[in-house]
Amino acid sequence: MSITSNIDRLRNEIADACARANRRVEDVALMAVSKMHPAEAILEAHSAGQRLFGENRVQEAQAKSAQIELLEGLDLHLIGPLQNNKTAKAAEIFHAIDAVDSLKTAERLNSAAQALGKTLPLLIEVKLSHEETKHGLAPEELPAFLDALQPFSFLKPLGLMTVPPWSDDPETARPYFQHLRRLRDENVAKHSNLTQLSMGMSHDFQVAIEEGSTTVRIGTAIFGKRSYV
C-alpha cells in the first residue's frame, strides 16, 4: 500500500479508537515517524496532508532539510535522545524537542533558542521501564525537573512522552500509558502547560488513545520497514 493510503487508513483507525474512548478525534495528533526513510517519503506524506513528523537524529534530519524545510506547515520534532554537542543545530532545524531528560541539555537548548529568537516547545521523556536501552527521567525526578526548567524562558514544556517495553501484545503497554497519564495529572496543576502525552506507536496506539495520548508516533504503519540510513 502507498504512504497516502496508509495515512488514510490510520486516520480512520484513530477516529475509531477515539470514538470507543469517547474522545474528540481532533485531540489526538498523528505524528509520522520518518526516521531512516528518505526525504521523498516525507514529501509523499506531506502531499497526503500530513504535517507533523518525527526524526530520531539531528544529523539525519539535517541531511533531509534542504528537501523538506520549505514544505508548507511542516512541524518537525526531534523524538530521539539529544547529545549536548548537537543542541544548537537541533534548536535551529526542529520546531520542537520531544525527548528532553537532562537539565544540561535543557540549558543548552534555552541558550540556542535565545540566540535564534524563538521559543522552543519541549516534551519531557520519562523512563517507566527497567530496560537499559530506554532513555528518560525516573518518575520521582519529574517534579524537581519541571521546577528547574522554569527559569528557562525560551523553553516551553508542554507535556510528557514515554516508550514502553516492546511486546506483541498491545495490552502490556497499558500500565505504562496509565502511569504517564497519572504523572501528567499530578503535575499539571503547578505547570498548567503540561497537557500533552506523546505515547503509542504502530502496534499499540489504540491502547494509548484509550489511556489519553494526545500524540501517537507512527512509523512502520505509514512508511513500511526502515531501510534508509
Side-chain angles (χ1 to χ4, degrees):
M1 296 180 71
S2 70
I3 289 173
T4 298
S5 60
N6 287 340
I7 288 173
D8 289 341
R9 175 179 50 81
L10 278 163
R11 292 197 180 280
N12 288 332
E13 291 178 1
I14 289 169
D16 290 343
C18 287
R20 290 194 301 271
N22 197 27
R23 297 185 61 196
R24 302 190 312 162
V25 68
E26 56 265 35
D27 291 338
V28 180
L30 170 61
M31 174 183 286
V33 178
S34 48
K35 65 178 183 178
M36 298 179 70
H37 292 282
E40 288 77 12
I42 298 176
L43 296 176
E44 183 178 343
H46 183 272
S47 70
Q50 182 65 29
R51 296 294 180 265
L52 177 60
F53 293 87
E55 287 280 337
N56 256 44
R57 297 188 298 172
V58 174
Q59 57 268 42
E60 183 182 341
Q62 187 177 3
K64 300 174 187 177
S65 62
Q67 292 174 264
I68 68 172
E69 62 184 353
L70 297 180
L71 291 176
E72 181 182 357
L74 179 70
D75 190 5
L76 186 65
H77 290 220
L78 179 66
I79 61 172
L82 176 59
Q83 297 172 302
N84 286 322
N85 63 350
K86 292 185 170 61
T87 49
K89 181 56 67 173
E92 178 185 339
I93 65 178
F94 289 100
H95 301 103
I97 310 295
D98 286 5
V100 176
D101 63 0
S102 157
L103 197 59
K104 183 177 181 180
T105 300
E107 186 174 10
R108 286 173 173 262
L109 282 171
N110 186 67
S111 296
Q114 182 177 14
L116 293 165
K118 66 190 288 188
T119 299
L120 199 57
L122 303 179
L123 297 184
I124 295 131
E125 184 169 11
V126 183
K127 182 179 178 180
L128 299 177
S129 77
H130 298 294
E131 294 176 298
E132 292 184 5
T133 56
K134 294 291 192 294
H135 298 270
L137 289 176
E140 61 271 17
E141 297 174 335
L142 180 60
F145 188 75
L146 288 168
D147 288 342
L149 290 180
Q150 288 188 302
F152 298 150
S153 56
F154 292 88
L155 303 181
K156 189 173 184 179
L158 294 179
L160 310 176
M161 72 92 75
T162 199
V163 181
W166 167 262
S167 171
D168 288 329
D169 180 5
E171 281 297 324
T172 64
R174 191 181 296 275
Y176 298 93
F177 298 153
Q178 291 173 335
H179 192 176
L180 194 72
R181 187 186 68 219
R182 287 197 302 271
L183 289 171
R184 190 274 312 272
D185 293 347
E186 290 165 3
N187 288 278
V188 73
K190 186 175 182 180
H191 303 279
S192 59
N193 289 323
L194 200 77
T195 59
Q196 297 184 18
L197 293 173
S198 177
M199 55 191 196
M201 295 183 285
S202 292
H203 64 294
D204 59 14
F205 72 88
Q206 298 191 42
V207 173
I209 289 171
E210 292 171 6
E211 296 301 336
S213 178
T214 61
T215 299
V216 293
R217 308 183 302 270
I218 310 295
T220 302
I222 292 177
F223 298 109
K225 293 182 179 180
R226 300 180 185 107
S227 59
Y228 173 81
V229 180

